[in-house]
Amino acid sequence: MGLEIERKFLVNPEKWKAFAKPQGTPYQQGYLVNEKGKTIRVRIAGSKAFITIKGATTGFTRKEYEYEIPLQDGQELLESFALQGTAKTRYRIPVAGKVFEVDEFKGENLGLIVAEIELKSENDTFEKPDFLAEEVTDDPRYYNSNLATHPFSLWG
């Protein structure tokens, strides 16, 4: 069984802007299924494509199965079957032996910057970089699947 144990944080835009970051990777993703407790997502990350199946979140943990698929298949699935989606640039930031994935959203989620860290257990400790702000792990508005249907720009 695949498990994802993840914590999520907002990013301070001023501190992030000043941070020396590596080159990011453009992401485009769309949802084939986007229901409470289960999603099926297709993602294009640079020149690779993936299909991901996720279950309901309990605590910081949920079932996750992700498989690389041919890029052309990913593009066709997004164009023909995706109900809605998001676009972003992802930066991988190593911090004390772990990796934060920082997403700068585009389109209707422009202005939102979120950092995620995947852990080995819910009790796993990690060092927090200076650019992190409020933790939003428990706030479902920040799930990518929810940002696809209820974009940040419409929160008011």
Side-chain angles (χ1 to χ4, degrees), residues 100-118:
F100 280 86
E101 295 178 329
V102 179
D103 294 335
E104 288 184 2
F105 285 87
K106 301 178 185 296
E108 289 187 292
N109 290 299
L110 187 65
L112 179 62
I113 308 171
V114 176
E116 302 172 346
I117 184 169
E118 288 200 25

Side-chain angles (χ1 to χ4, degrees), residues 28-32 41-44 73-85:
Q28 181 183 2
Q29 55 193 35
Y31 292 86
L32 308 180
R41 174 188 72 206
V42 174
R43 172 183 280 169
I44 308 277
D73 290 359
Q75 292 167 333
E76 289 176 9
L77 286 167
L78 282 177
E79 291 169 11
S80 301
F81 298 102
L83 304 171
Q84 63 280 112

Side-chain angles (χ1 to χ4, degrees), residues 8 17 47 53 62-63 65-67 79 98-99 103 120 128 133 141 144 156:
K8 193 175 287 219
K17 186 176 181 180
S47 61
I53 301 147
R62 63 181 159 187
K63 291 180 183 178
Y65 304 90
E66 183 168 77
Y67 307 97
E79 291 169 11
K98 296 195 178 359
V99 176
D103 294 335
K120 294 181 186 210
K128 294 180 181 175
R141 293 180 303 166
N144 281 272

Side-chain angles (χ1 to χ4, degrees), residues 23-29 43-48 87-91 106:
Q23 182 174 345
T25 302
Y27 276 51
Q28 181 183 2
Q29 55 193 35
R43 172 183 280 169
I44 308 277
S47 61
K48 295 186 174 193
K88 59 190 176 185
T89 299
R90 174 165 283 176
Y91 301 87
K106 301 178 185 296

